[in-house]
Amino acid sequence: MGMRSAGRGGVRRSAVAAVSCALLLAGCGGSGDGPKSGTDGHRPVSMSGKGAAQQPVPRGKGSKAEDDFNGDGAPDLVLDDLVHRDHGDDAGIGIVYGGRGGLRPGARQLVSAHANGARVKGELPAAFESEAACDLDEDGFTDLLVSTDPPYDGQGRPPVPLQILFGSPRGLTGKAVQLKVPAQARFGNDWPDQPVCGDFDGDGANDLVLHASGARISFLRGPFTKKGAPRAAGAPVTAPGNNLVTGRATDVNGDGYDDVLVRKAAGATGAAASALVLGGPKGPDETGVLFPAGKDIAFGRFGKGKGTDAAIAGPNGVALRYDVPGTSRGSLEAKGVAVDAGDLDGDGLSELVLSGGGSGSGGGAGEVRVFRGRTSGLAANATATVIPSAKGTTQVLKIADFDGDKRADLVLRTYRGDSADTVGVYPGAAGGDVVARKPQLTFSTEELLSLAGS
């Protein structure tokens, strides 16, 4: 899926994105308006209006599944920026839990700064936003890294704004702990933030890479303790950029070590040059490949060989690089701001998802286009499956196999102003269209706010 950068003033806000094949959410079958084949006849489910009745979070025993906070083997969904009519304090983070067959709309939680935040210098944070998710302490339950706004007077090195909510058989409960970033792993006076999870040293444990300062990144070696401390950390390493994208890392060159994408500061045109920093036995410490300027990058296997490919969205279309770090290139004559990727039809090749293209060939702000991966690669004039524009602005939230049918599904969120939204799940399909044109499950993030104070 796409990797993109996030900026913030006091605390960098996480952009909605994912890398590799991050898992969240689950569907419950296709509708009659869905794909031509590859789905069953289950009726669409909606949480709109009164919403689903509250259910207990399923108790798990631990698993290796991604985004599985309660350890029951089913992926869960994280939702930030919940729509609410009170535009004051941060509303919190919504968690919708999955189960056998897909998402369980009633099994949901709201985690917030007031209920779950750790105090820093006696103060609870006001901001509370998800940044990354992975099992940091190797107990079989995914943990959530949260960005906060600790007190800072502007003098000297700021405190660490990241906190960890640990998963458990009951999901994300209890108080967070502040992430420990050893002094030797810091550089300059920037906020140590924008965490990226991955196994960068190949030892099987999840590590963290953070933005440091002055084109440097900090590598925190896992596993982590329940007090938020890494197993080890060295001096920051130089990277050809000073902003990390959010999401999960990807082993782009297939050597068993996860790699991380970094970005240089945006130029006058707003585009940003990107570079891949390769993992190794000592963590990420070698620049592997430079990418052309673009607004967003997605990694996948779109065709032409067995390696990982890159799609870079730019003002003149999508630039394609096959078998990264190879030099074989192509292009797709479709404009868009954001690109993501996932295997929606289950054939082993990635589909390219393009959104935010504006008018013209890229579609409107609410339109999402899906291009089928082929053994010959993505054709320059490829025909796309188009999910029609909705009233509002649509973002791609996640692409992954949520319902366990070996095909990734597409989760979209459409905003209609500051106080209304719709999240929809569009199942992937093996034949005809690669994804349903209408959602088989919809709900609003506002429904999660009914749990506030519970």
Side-chain angles (χ1 to χ4, degrees):
M1 286 184 252
M3 302 178 74
R4 52 181 66 90
S5 62
R8 67 170 173 81
V11 176
R12 300 179 193 270
R13 298 174 60 88
S14 171
V16 180
V19 179
S20 213
C21 287
L23 301 179
L24 291 181
L25 196 51
C28 36
S31 68
D33 297 316
K36 296 177 184 177
S37 64
T39 58
D40 58 27
H42 292 180
R43 297 174 58 189
V45 177
S46 176
M47 284 174 59
S48 302
K50 296 181 180 179
Q54 181 67 31
Q55 299 174 357
V57 174
R59 293 183 66 90
K61 297 181 179 180
S63 79
K64 294 184 180 297
E66 294 184 0
D67 303 301
D68 183 11
F69 302 109
N70 59 332
D72 66 346
D76 310 315
L77 172 68
V78 178
L79 291 162
D80 271 303
D81 300 320
L82 308 181
V83 297
H84 59 296
R85 307 193 186 279
D86 178 9
H87 300 293
D89 292 340
D90 193 315
I93 303 166
I95 312 295
V96 181
Y97 288 87
R100 180 176 296 179
L103 183 72
R104 298 187 179 184
R108 56 192 191 269
Q109 289 177 331
L110 179 70
V111 294
S112 66
H114 177 75
N116 306 95
R119 291 183 179 273
V120 178
K121 295 184 178 179
E123 295 185 21
L124 282 173
F128 211 64
E129 300 176 4
S130 71
E131 288 281 355
C134 57
D135 184 2
L136 291 170
D137 58 352
E138 293 190 305
D139 64 352
F141 302 93
T142 301
D143 311 309
L144 185 67
L145 281 135
V146 177
S147 182
T148 68
D149 58 346
Y152 176 52
D153 61 8
Q155 301 298 313
R157 184 169 282 180
V160 177
L162 298 171
Q163 299 186 4
I164 304 172
L165 271 170
F166 287 102
S168 75
R170 296 184 295 119
L172 295 175
T173 61
K175 290 287 186 179
V177 301
Q178 193 172 18
L179 175 68
K180 305 296 191 300
V181 181
Q184 71 268 20
R186 299 192 61 173
F187 181 86
N189 290 332
D190 279 6
W191 294 84
D193 58 4
Q194 298 181 36
V196 177
C197 285
D199 182 10
F200 303 104
D201 57 4
D203 66 353
N206 279 310
D207 314 307
L208 290 177
V209 169
L210 310 178
H211 160 82
S213 180
R216 286 173 171 80
I217 57 177
S218 298
F219 170 55
L220 307 182
R221 193 184 300 269
F224 289 71
T225 70
K226 288 289 188 182
K227 294 183 178 180
R231 179 166 65 91
V237 298
T238 301
N242 57 10
N243 287 303
L244 292 180
V245 295
T246 57
R248 287 179 173 81
T250 305
D251 181 7
V252 175
N253 58 359
D255 63 354
Y257 304 99
D258 281 340
D259 312 310
V260 64
L261 190 72
V262 296
R263 266 202 158 139
K264 293 183 179 179
T269 63
S274 302
L276 194 69
V277 180
L278 301 179
K282 297 181 180 179
D285 61 0
E286 177 186 354
T287 301
V289 61
L290 297 175
F291 293 104
K295 298 181 182 302
D296 202 11
I297 292 183
F299 292 109
R301 184 172 170 243
F302 305 118
K304 288 193 175 181
K306 298 181 180 180
T308 299
D309 309 319
I312 304 101
N316 299 317
V318 178
L320 301 170
R321 177 172 291 187
Y322 293 102
D323 289 334
V324 173
T327 58
S328 177
R329 295 178 174 87
S331 64
L332 191 66
E333 296 177 0
K335 295 181 180 179
V337 174
V339 285
D340 295 89
D343 184 6
L344 292 162
D345 57 3
D347 67 351
L349 296 177
S350 302
E351 275 63 60
L352 180 68
V353 181
L354 190 64
S355 60
S359 60
S361 63
E367 185 176 277
V368 175
R369 310 183 81 200
V370 182
F371 296 86
R372 186 191 297 272
R374 302 179 184 277
T375 54
S376 58
L378 294 169
N381 58 351
T383 301
T385 297
V386 178
I387 298 176
S389 300
K391 185 177 181 181
T393 300
T394 297
Q395 292 179 324
V396 177
L397 284 186
K398 298 293 175 185
I399 304 176
D401 179 13
F402 308 130
D403 55 11
D405 65 354
K406 308 301 181 183
R407 297 186 294 268
D409 308 310
L410 180 62
V411 181
L412 304 179
R413 182 177 183 181
T414 299
Y415 294 87
R416 299 183 304 280
D418 294 333
S419 58
D421 73 347
T422 300
V423 177
V425 183
Y426 297 76
D433 291 335
V434 294
V435 66
R437 293 175 185 261
K438 292 185 178 181
Q440 55 110 73
L441 182 148
T442 62
F443 62 93
S444 170
T445 65
E446 188 176 19
E447 295 156 18
L448 295 167
L449 296 181
S450 63
L451 303 177
S454 63

